[in-house]
Amino acid sequence: MSRPQEPHRPFFSFGNPFRMISPKGSQLSPRLLSLLNAFEETLAERLRKLHPKDKNDVLSLPWMKSAMESLCETHTDIKSLITDLELPVTDWDEKWIDVYLDISVKLLDICIAFSSELSRLSQGHLLLQCVLHNLESNTPKQFVRACSSLDSWRQHITSKNLRVQNCHSILDNLVESLNLPKVKNSAKGKVLMQAMYGVKVQTVFVCSVFAAAFSGSSKKLLDLEVPNTILWAQAYCNLQTNVNGEIREIFSSGKFTVLKELEAVDSIVKKMYPMIQDGLGPVEVEAFEHSVSDLRTGTDTLSQGLDFLAKEVDVFFKIVLSGRDALLCNLRASSAVTDPMSGTNVGEQIVR
């Protein structure tokens, strides 16, 4: 039975965020403008590359891996931009630091949730291996045991992960952080905040897509409006419209999962289950053998895809963590900056 289509999340609009970061009395030099344009043009190209070539690419594990790789590259680029700006952390406004620390800890929480879900899905591979082993054993109880393993797999796959469910509120908080702090009399600060805005928008998009896929609910999808004056705005809007629209259409069809490789395995299981449960007739033997072969292939494809994606999520986790650690280390000597996540003095926290 098809599930009712879930209502779209409203578009989040914040007016023009760059009105908030325009420094009074400071203009961008040709060098700073070149750095900002290079960063935004690279981001625009990354977003265009993520545009699915076919609707079947949406939420395939290779596409999700590409999305996470793209996000890793953007977060690495923002580190390089900070270096190129020659803007040491000790010169940052305290509000910029608060924003960075707050966002980074939220992203770490999201990474942990995604990693736990990928691990849970990978555990289902063991059950499918048991199914294949039982079907190839030629014992009197081979079908009974195979049915039991398939039942366990289905129950395992359809269970809920509370960590993923909690991503909803974290993502809403990240959306609220798109309102950028004011930058006073700092052209370099303006470049940093405008580039950071692009990083945050791509991050929210990718994480909301992953959260929707893993939670089994399109309510996790977020639609963001961005100022059309930004270099990457059109590329982002096209990507968001295409991907979010396709995901909502998949959910409206009533499928139990939107992950392509997982859905492919489930389709094979549904086809095999009646044959295993009722026994094979003479004309069903060949069809059954084909189904077993398809299940083996589908299981391997799913397992490999989950492994590759899990590794990419781990890379992203390490990038975020290293950036946070570097910021805290650079502020070690400062006694005026407090980590908003702990409420403690940064210097005291590092000493501990």
Side-chain angles (χ1 to χ4, degrees), residues 134-150:
N134 288 324
L135 292 178
E136 295 167 349
S137 64
N138 292 321
T139 62
K141 294 185 178 181
Q142 67 177 122
F143 286 171
V144 174
R145 291 169 179 166
C147 276
S148 176
S149 295
L150 285 176

Side-chain angles (χ1 to χ4, degrees), residues 50-325:
L50 276 182
H51 200 285
K53 297 178 182 178
D54 182 87
K55 69 176 185 177
N56 290 325
D57 289 340
V58 176
L59 292 188
S60 66
L61 292 174
W63 182 87
M64 293 177 73
K65 178 177 176 288
S66 296
M68 189 55 66
E69 284 177 341
S70 177
L71 194 55
C72 289
E73 291 169 355
T74 299
H75 277 256
T76 299
D77 278 0
I78 197 69
K79 291 183 181 181
S80 300
L81 179 63
I82 291 171
T83 300
D84 293 339
L85 286 173
E86 299 176 350
L87 184 63
V89 176
T90 50
D91 291 346
W92 285 25
D93 186 282
E94 187 172 337
K95 290 181 180 179
W96 309 350
I97 297 170
D98 289 345
V99 167
Y100 188 93
L101 291 173
D102 181 63
I103 291 173
S104 64
V105 79
K106 287 181 172 63
L107 291 181
L108 293 176
D109 287 341
I110 287 177
C111 285
I112 291 171
F114 291 168
S115 293
S116 72
E117 178 62 9
L118 289 167
S119 176
R120 190 186 70 82
L121 292 174
S122 293
Q123 289 168 10
H125 179 70
L126 297 175
L127 293 170
L128 291 175
Q129 288 297 313
C130 287
V131 173
L132 291 168
H133 174 74
N134 288 324
L135 292 178
E136 295 167 349
S137 64
N138 292 321
T139 62
K141 294 185 178 181
Q142 67 177 122
F143 286 171
V144 174
R145 291 169 179 166
C147 276
S148 176
S149 295
L150 285 176
D151 289 337
S152 297
W153 176 79
R154 184 77 183 196
Q155 183 178 6
H156 177 78
I157 290 300
T158 55
S159 62
K160 298 297 183 182
N161 185 333
L162 291 179
R163 281 180 172 172
V164 172
Q165 303 301 316
N166 291 337
C167 285
H168 177 67
S169 59
I170 298 175
L171 284 168
D172 282 345
N173 288 333
L174 283 176
V175 170
E176 292 173 4
S177 77
L178 289 173
N179 280 319
L180 301 170
K182 288 185 178 181
V183 177
K184 298 180 180 178
N185 301 317
S186 172
K188 291 182 179 180
K190 176 184 178 182
V191 171
L192 176 62
M193 287 297 103
Q194 185 162 329
M196 194 71 77
Y197 176 75
V199 175
K200 289 192 286 185
V201 168
Q202 186 187 10
T203 301
V204 168
F205 168 73
V206 172
C207 289
S208 71
V209 167
F210 276 48
F214 292 149
S215 67
S217 171
S218 62
K219 290 181 179 179
K220 296 291 186 294
L221 285 177
L222 299 173
D223 296 298
L224 304 177
E225 283 187 354
V226 299
N228 57 16
T229 54
I230 314 174
L231 286 175
W232 47 266
Q234 190 60 53
Y236 174 76
C237 290
N238 290 344
L239 177 64
Q240 177 177 257
T241 300
N242 183 285
V243 172
N244 285 4
E246 180 60 27
I247 293 173
R248 289 187 174 107
E249 184 176 336
I250 294 172
F251 275 117
S252 69
S253 68
K255 294 181 179 179
F256 96 101
T257 179
V258 293
L259 296 175
K260 299 296 185 183
E261 291 79 3
L262 186 57
E263 172 64 24
V265 170
D266 185 61
S267 296
I268 298 168
V269 168
K270 287 179 179 176
K271 182 179 178 181
M272 289 181 64
Y273 197 89
M275 290 188 277
I276 297 173
Q277 195 173 39
D278 301 335
L280 299 178
V283 296
E284 293 178 310
V285 173
E286 185 176 353
F288 179 73
E289 289 176 349
H290 283 304
S291 293
V292 172
S293 177
D294 290 343
L295 180 61
R296 184 181 296 106
T297 301
T299 297
D300 290 344
T301 300
L302 173 61
S303 178
Q304 186 179 64
L306 291 172
D307 285 345
F308 286 155
L309 182 54
K311 289 176 182 177
E312 208 57 48
V313 171
D314 186 55
V315 169
F316 181 57
F317 179 90
K318 290 175 179 176
I319 289 173
V320 175
L321 183 61
S322 65
R324 180 180 173 85
D325 287 347

